[in-house]
Amino acid sequence: KRYIMSSVIFVLILLMFLLNGAIKSIMFGAIVCLFFYMFKYKGKNTLYLSVLYIISLLSFLLYKVFGVYKIADYLRRIFFTPANLFNVYQKYFENNFTHFTHSRISKIFNINSFEGSLPKYIGENVIGIKNLVANVGIFVEGYLSFGIIGFIFSSILFVLFIYVIRSLNLDNRYFGMLFVYIYIINTSFIETLLITHGLIVFIIFCWFIIPNKKRNER
């Protein structure tokens, strides 16, 4: 019954992926969760690195033989694009911090500094590519809001998140969900992370539903 239910859920996630404009994080999250659930915890580090090397080699071969760079594009987005975007944001907002007036909350008080979303503004007006949405994470948002102080504050929030997750004492098989959120933290502002990507709901879900080590011992 568990395998049937898991298969049904995966199919539903696949449908969600296809019906939401092919949002990569949805499919990425489903695959990662399955990957970490299926294998023993001790061998996951080695397996993860092995898969990463294989994917990198495969992307290189596909580009050389067929001129296809789709896989390489995913790897670039995960490992190289965040650092490049941080450089763009750092240069643009140096000594010109937003003080959180880019947020959705600021729109409620009518003090928003940007029309539309800030990532889209940066993508189109700073980087200069039409319809580009330059998503960055909470660390970059902290810096562009209040400089080094904001960066430190974002780092404290991240440590607090890790502390809460560790205190939940989750079963190792469910590490994939935490891994996905570590990726999302690097690509989403704090409001998007907490509400749109459901970090608050995730923590509540972990607290009451997802098995932890103490429950398994019982």
Side-chain angles (χ1 to χ4, degrees):
K1 290 182 179 180
R2 288 184 179 180
Y3 290 109
I4 295 173
M5 183 62 70
S6 299
S7 301
V8 171
I9 292 173
F10 188 81
V11 171
L12 291 174
I13 291 173
L14 182 60
L15 287 173
M16 188 184 299
F17 171 75
L18 296 172
L19 294 172
N20 280 275
I23 299 175
K24 291 176 284 188
S25 59
I26 295 175
M27 200 62 196
F28 172 77
I31 294 172
V32 167
C33 288
L34 284 175
F35 173 82
F36 282 99
Y37 187 86
M38 292 169 60
F39 301 99
K40 292 183 178 180
Y41 185 78
K42 291 182 179 179
K44 284 175 182 175
N45 290 337
T46 303
L47 186 61
Y48 169 75
L49 292 175
S50 300
V51 170
L52 183 60
Y53 290 140
I54 292 171
I55 292 175
S56 301
L57 179 61
L58 181 61
S59 67
F60 176 77
L61 293 175
L62 285 175
Y63 176 75
K64 285 295 184 181
V65 177
F66 301 104
V68 177
Y69 56 87
K70 240 350 181 184
I71 298 178
D73 189 52
Y74 281 103
L75 294 175
R76 175 188 59 80
R77 181 67 184 90
I78 295 172
F79 294 106
F80 301 105
T81 299
N84 182 50
L85 290 179
F86 175 77
N87 187 47
V88 172
Y89 276 82
Q90 189 271 331
K91 288 182 178 178
Y92 186 79
F93 287 104
E94 187 176 13
N95 299 321
N96 184 34
F97 306 125
T98 67
H99 301 104
F100 219 62
T101 57
H102 64 277
S103 65
R104 295 175 184 175
I105 294 176
S106 65
K107 290 182 180 180
I108 299 175
F109 300 98
N110 200 29
I111 57 172
N112 193 275
S113 302
F114 301 90
E115 292 185 8
S117 70
L118 177 58
K120 189 171 183 179
Y121 173 85
I122 295 296
E124 292 186 337
N125 297 284
V126 180
I127 299 177
I129 301 177
K130 188 176 181 180
N131 296 324
L132 175 64
V133 180
N135 287 319
V136 290
I138 64 172
F139 303 108
V140 178
E141 183 182 23
Y143 178 82
L144 67 89
S145 297
F146 299 100
I148 297 298
I149 295 175
F151 180 82
I152 293 172
F153 180 74
S154 296
S155 301
I156 293 172
L157 283 180
F158 178 74
V159 172
L160 181 62
F161 164 68
I162 296 299
Y163 174 79
V164 170
I165 294 298
R166 283 180 60 88
S167 67
L168 294 174
N169 204 23
L170 298 178
D171 191 293
N172 294 331
R173 294 175 298 174
Y174 298 94
F175 176 76
M177 291 186 290
L178 173 60
F179 187 88
V180 171
Y181 269 102
I182 292 174
Y183 166 75
I184 294 174
I185 282 171
N186 207 34
T187 59
S188 300
F189 284 166
I190 185 67
E191 293 170 307
T192 306
L193 174 67
L194 294 175
I195 301 172
T196 306
H197 289 298
L199 179 58
I200 295 175
V201 176
F202 171 71
I203 292 175
I204 296 172
F205 190 78
C206 290
W207 186 274
F208 292 104
I209 297 175
I210 295 179
N212 58 34
K213 294 176 183 177
K214 291 181 179 179
R215 291 175 192 154
N216 289 340
E217 288 174 0
R218 293 175 187 173

